[in-house]
Amino acid sequence: MHELSAAYALDALDGADLRAYEAHLARCKQCRADVASLREAATSLAYGVEPVAAPEGLERRIVTAARAERPNVVALRRRWAIPAAGLAAAGAVAAIALGIWATHLSHSLDRERSARSRDARVISILAQPGAKQVPTQGGSGMLVVSPTREAVLVANGLPEAGGGKTYEAWVIEGNAARPAGLFRGGSGSKVLRLTRPVAPGATVGVTLERAGGSKVPTGTILLRATS
């Protein structure tokens, strides 16, 4: 939704996109700030320029020349007009907003591609012939270790880690525990591709740590499985 802020600021959304974004906007402080900033920039650029005055007598000369061609030509009532410089500035704002939108969209697509790549790698590990499946102890879950020692941990029904906390997986061999990935927990099954290989006989454990993870386990091991 964040990538739609520029389009919304320029009134370029409609239909379902408009309704969905406005529902998101009511909950997102950052997007409200982005929209306000973009609209302020658009207004200052569009109207912060001096109109260019037409040469004195230009209108009279145009009407006189036109009457020479068609006697029934009359001068039109003066209308409000947006200065040419203002139109150019508004176009510049649109170009800037489009660039911001394109950048946001590119980042979103990059994140989506990255997520798909991770999912594909997890699936490939789970589907490898000869992959070993070990149920976890201490809670519901499964450790899957491929013949190449790549591993995936599935944790079921762990409570959400909560503010300032995260779950951290560890690969434990002897007395050494090495960090192997973070996840938030919450309802349903959480699937984590471990960042370290799991050798035969190694144990994978999960602890609750401060946000960002820890270099060594500080909490109680909540889940464990030995390859």
Side-chain angles (χ1 to χ4, degrees), residues 60-74:
R60 178 179 51 78
R61 292 198 300 272
I62 292 173
V63 172
T64 299
R67 280 176 175 164
E69 294 289 334
R70 293 179 179 270
N72 60 344
V73 170
V74 296

Side-chain angles (χ1 to χ4, degrees), residues 43-201:
T43 300
S44 62
L45 282 175
Y47 295 102
V49 295
E50 293 295 329
V52 179
E56 186 177 353
L58 176 61
E59 181 180 354
R60 178 179 51 78
R61 292 198 300 272
I62 292 173
V63 172
T64 299
R67 280 176 175 164
E69 294 289 334
R70 293 179 179 270
N72 60 344
V73 170
V74 296
L76 295 175
R77 185 177 58 192
R78 186 180 300 276
R79 297 178 180 177
W80 291 103
I82 299 176
L87 289 173
V93 172
I96 292 170
L98 181 61
I100 294 171
W101 175 80
T103 300
H104 279 300
L105 181 59
S106 175
H107 290 168
S108 295
L109 291 174
D110 286 345
R111 288 193 296 270
E112 183 177 345
R113 293 189 192 101
S114 179
R116 287 181 178 177
S117 177
R118 288 194 301 269
D119 290 346
R121 193 62 197 144
V122 165
I123 292 171
S124 73
I125 294 171
L126 296 175
Q128 276 191 37
K132 183 179 180 181
Q133 299 181 10
V134 184
T136 58
Q137 299 175 2
S140 174
M142 182 76 68
L143 173 67
V144 181
V145 183
S146 74
T148 59
R149 300 188 178 184
E150 292 179 290
V152 170
L153 177 67
V154 181
N156 300 321
L158 278 177
E160 190 168 344
K165 295 289 186 179
T166 187
Y167 290 106
E168 186 160 13
W170 306 89
V171 175
I172 305 167
E173 297 182 84
N175 295 323
R178 296 180 174 84
L182 307 174
F183 64 103
R184 294 289 303 165
S187 61
S189 297
K190 303 303 177 184
V191 180
L192 176 68
R193 178 191 174 197
L194 301 185
T195 59
R196 293 183 182 275
V198 177

Side-chain angles (χ1 to χ4, degrees), residues 13-30:
L13 295 180
D14 58 15
D17 286 340
L18 177 61
R19 291 190 295 272
Y21 183 82
E22 287 184 335
H24 168 77
L25 195 65
R27 304 188 301 269
C28 182
K29 182 178 180 181
Q30 181 59 53

